[in-house]
Amino acid sequence: MLAVDRRAVNTHVDWSGVRERVIAVEEAERRARGYEPSGYPTFEPVLTPAEIAEVEAQLGVTLPDEYRTFLAEVGAGGPGPALHLTSLCRIDGTWGWLWDGGYHWLLDSSAPFVETEDWADQQIATLRAAGYEPTTRDEDDDYLDDYRNVFGDAGDEAWYLERGRGAILISDNGCGMTGWLIIVGPHRGELRDRDCATNPPFEPYVDSKANRHTFHTWYLEWLEQRENAAR
């Protein structure tokens, strides 16, 4: 069992046995398919309290307790809902979330995450702050053309990055679908699901009673479903 300095990570979230349960169900599924044991670690190594403090200092935020303790007790990446969790790692001295074969997502913590229904108002505010009066909102892309007019070649990237501001790309769900963990704003600690369309909404992950998931409930529900299916 991994030794964890709970005082250093300031936690009351219980991840006891979760790492071992995930490894067990992964191995059971491999056996059921007739595969040999994997020669690769199931999880990325856990982060030390010093590393977590470095991440938070770089980002200028405190990570939600449920996630920061997962990093300290379970792993910095590995199996998770849908396909797998993105891996929190340091590349060239900068911490970010590795996704889709090499994309390093960096949290923009400069402002709260904006929910889908408020997104167009946020875009209008950004454009007006740049001295540009928005034109007509596009049904599919909102004000993407205006972003291109204002920011030139950087317009698409600015539009995309601002859409995910205040949140981190937490899971790769396959075929361009993604899961997000809100880090900044009134819904800090909640999860959002995003499809792969041109400008899909961010939809809350909910349980069977329509309660919004936090990282802890989201991960444990996925694990319990896998364990039940493997029995």
Side-chain angles (χ1 to χ4, degrees):
M1 182 68 180
L2 295 169
V4 177
D5 182 351
R6 288 185 175 275
R7 292 172 298 176
V9 295
N10 185 28
T11 177
H12 60 273
V13 180
D14 185 12
W15 292 104
S16 300
V18 168
R19 180 185 176 93
E20 294 78 9
R21 288 168 60 190
V22 173
I23 292 173
V25 77
E26 288 273 320
E27 292 176 349
E29 290 179 356
R30 290 188 67 85
R31 288 194 301 271
R33 295 187 178 103
Y35 298 156
E36 294 294 324
S38 173
Y40 298 95
T42 302
F43 287 98
E44 297 293 332
V46 297
L47 300 187
T48 66
E51 287 173 323
I52 293 174
E54 184 180 325
V55 170
E56 294 179 329
Q58 175 197 301
L59 301 177
V61 298
T62 298
L63 296 172
D65 276 353
E66 295 180 356
Y67 181 56
R68 73 197 304 269
T69 52
F70 183 91
L71 297 171
E73 298 182 36
V74 183
L83 291 180
H84 56 80
L85 300 178
T86 53
S87 297
L88 176 55
C89 58
R90 183 169 44 200
I91 297 179
D92 296 330
T94 301
W95 288 95
W97 286 263
L98 198 60
W99 172 65
D100 196 21
Y103 187 82
H104 205 216
W105 178 268
L106 306 178
L107 171 69
D108 179 354
S109 60
S110 62
F113 175 78
V114 176
E115 299 286 359
T116 297
E117 58 270 19
D118 300 320
W119 174 231
D121 290 341
Q122 174 63 50
Q123 287 188 300
I124 290 172
T126 296
L127 293 167
R128 286 177 174 167
Y132 182 92
E133 187 60 29
T135 57
T136 302
R137 180 183 180 186
D138 183 88
E139 182 177 345
D140 294 322
D141 297 333
D142 292 326
Y143 294 98
L144 178 57
D145 285 340
D146 287 338
Y147 269 60
R148 290 167 175 164
N149 290 335
V150 172
F151 301 109
D153 292 341
D156 287 72
E157 183 178 10
W159 180 91
Y160 182 75
L161 293 178
E162 189 180 51
R163 190 69 185 90
R165 186 170 60 188
I168 59 173
L169 184 59
I170 194 65
S171 67
D172 178 0
N173 302 344
C175 300
M177 297 178 287
T178 50
W180 299 74
L181 176 63
I182 299 174
I183 303 295
V184 183
H187 294 287
R188 178 178 178 270
E190 293 183 2
L191 279 298
R192 296 291 183 270
D193 178 44
R194 199 170 193 218
D195 208 336
C196 57
T198 304
N199 183 27
F202 286 82
E203 301 286 358
Y205 281 105
V206 296
D207 63 19
S208 60
K209 297 181 180 179
N211 296 314
R212 291 188 177 185
H213 273 306
T214 63
F215 184 81
H216 189 254
T217 62
W218 177 68
Y219 197 84
L220 289 186
E221 180 183 80
W222 163 80
L223 176 55
E224 290 166 1
Q225 289 172 348
R226 282 194 71 185
E227 289 173 328
N228 290 336
R231 290 193 179 104

